[in-house]
């Protein structure tokens, strides 16, 4: 039975290194389908009983958006939890997320800010409409329900709650967590033929060996957008996901 929780899906402070795959697995196609066919996306009994089918729509919550953002951006969990509304922007007519540090309470691993174009599937699901609703409501932070934890991360409680959720829907293993979405994203980039350097830049990785020693390490935004638009999860069906349906839920 679900527990009442104020926050969701908190920090996974996992080193991005050559042994990362030994620490976490990507979600399998069956696990992904189970997550996105669960009551969180098809209707649940209530905010408290999120794994029980029902008629409550949670498309105006971070519970709903964080897994989708993890899958389609590859961003680290805390990078998503700490987003401000102003971090969702446009440049050159391209909708994007600014993953960046601030003087206040935003942190980025390696201190390296980046731009991540917003995948068309997130647009289809109403992410930009959700952002606009948060902006019109006057929220500074995209997910104001997520509070800064004792460790200084907005995602402190969140990973525990996400792990609890996927455990209760039968997806949790010893090597799966929110961080698994980063592995899914990296694999999707690889399968789409995205250049390794571009893949690493989108994920906020340090460029490896000699590649990191030459050039400025930047990729033009249109090139990043082209890469993002190539990404597909061909065996994942999301047609049933209605997307954002308004601030009233």
């Amino acid at each position: 039975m679900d527990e009442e929780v104020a926050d969701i899906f908190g920090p996974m402070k996992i080193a991005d290194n050559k042994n990362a795959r030994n620490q976490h697995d990507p979600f399998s196609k069956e696990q992904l389908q189970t997550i996105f066919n669960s009551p969180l996306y098809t209707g649940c009994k209530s905010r408290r009983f999120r794994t029980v089918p029902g008629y409550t729509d949670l498309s105006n919550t971070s519970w709903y958006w964080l897994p989708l953002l993890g899958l389609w951006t590859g961003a680290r969990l805390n990078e998503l939890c700490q987003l401000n509304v102003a971090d969702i922007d446009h440049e050159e007519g391209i909708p994007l997320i600014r993953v960046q540090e601030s003087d206040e309470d935003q942190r980025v691993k390696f201190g390296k800010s980046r731009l991540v174009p917003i995948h068309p599937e997130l647009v289809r699901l109403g992410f930009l409409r959700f952002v606009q609703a948060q902006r019109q409501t006057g929220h500074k932070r995209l997910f104001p329900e997520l509070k800064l934890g004792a460790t200084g991360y907005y995602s402190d409680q969140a990973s525990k709650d996400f792990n609890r959720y996927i455990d209760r829907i039968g997806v949790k293993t010893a090597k799966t967590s929110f961080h698994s979405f980063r592995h899914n994203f990296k694999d999707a980039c690889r399968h789409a033929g995205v250049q390794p350097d571009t893949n690493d830049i989108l994920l906020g990785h340090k460029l490896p060996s000699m590649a990191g020693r030459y050039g400025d390490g930047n990729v033009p935004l249109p090139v990043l957008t082209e890469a993002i638009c190539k990404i597909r999860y061909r065996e994942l069906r999301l047609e049933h996901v209605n997307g954002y349906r308004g601030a009233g839920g």
Side-chain angles (χ1 to χ4, degrees), residues 90-95 221:
H90 288 75
E91 282 191 15
E92 304 176 41
I94 297 169
L221 183 59

Side-chain angles (χ1 to χ4, degrees), residues 180-230:
S180 298
F181 288 125
R182 277 175 68 79
H183 291 291
N184 286 113
F185 182 88
K186 188 169 184 65
D187 285 344
C189 284
R190 185 181 297 115
H191 298 161
V194 174
Q195 292 295 318
D197 285 2
T198 301
N199 190 336
D200 284 336
I201 288 168
L202 287 170
L203 284 163
H205 287 161
K206 285 185 176 180
L207 294 180
S209 61
M210 297 301 291
R213 298 186 187 182
Y214 294 91
D216 60 11
N218 294 319
V219 173
L221 183 59
V223 177
L224 294 177
T225 303
E226 181 182 2
I228 283 284
C229 289
K230 289 180 179 178

Side-chain angles (χ1 to χ4, degrees), residues 84-86 130-142 144:
N84 291 325
V85 172
F130 167 73
V131 173
Q132 182 61 21
Q134 297 294 77
R135 182 176 287 115
Q136 291 174 345
T137 305
H139 291 305
K140 175 185 176 182
R141 295 189 50 250
L142 186 61

Side-chain angles (χ1 to χ4, degrees), residues 33-102:
Q33 199 65 61
T34 296
I35 292 170
F36 293 107
N37 271 290
S38 73
L40 187 58
Y41 295 97
T42 60
C44 56
K45 182 176 180 180
S46 67
R47 293 174 67 90
R48 179 178 182 183
F49 297 104
R50 295 188 303 282
T51 62
V52 180
Y55 298 101
T56 300
D57 169 34
L58 295 181
S59 66
N60 64 336
T61 69
S62 51
W63 291 327
Y64 181 95
W65 285 111
L66 287 173
L68 288 168
L69 288 168
L71 183 67
W72 293 103
T73 69
R76 300 176 181 91
L77 181 53
N78 192 65
E79 292 174 340
L80 297 171
C81 290
Q82 71 184 8
L83 286 172
N84 291 325
V85 172
D87 295 327
I88 316 305
D89 203 357
H90 288 75
E91 282 191 15
E92 304 176 41
I94 297 169
L96 56 84
I97 297 173
R98 299 183 186 277
V99 180
Q100 59 189 347
E101 290 198 333
S102 72

Side-chain angles (χ1 to χ4, degrees), residues 9-12 14 22-28 30-36 38 51 77 157-181 183:
F9 314 46
M12 295 303 298
I14 303 298
N22 294 329
Q23 299 165 352
H24 286 86
D25 287 333
F27 290 114
S28 69
E30 292 82 10
Q31 288 171 322
L32 285 176
Q33 199 65 61
T34 296
I35 292 170
F36 293 107
S38 73
T51 62
L77 181 53
Q157 182 62 38
S159 65
K160 298 176 184 176
D161 296 333
F162 180 71
N163 285 339
R164 183 184 300 118
Y165 186 84
I166 62 174
D167 181 54
R168 289 175 177 171
I169 63 173
V171 168
K172 186 77 179 82
T173 71
K175 294 177 68 175
T176 55
S177 69
F178 195 94
H179 200 79
S180 298
F181 288 125
H183 291 291

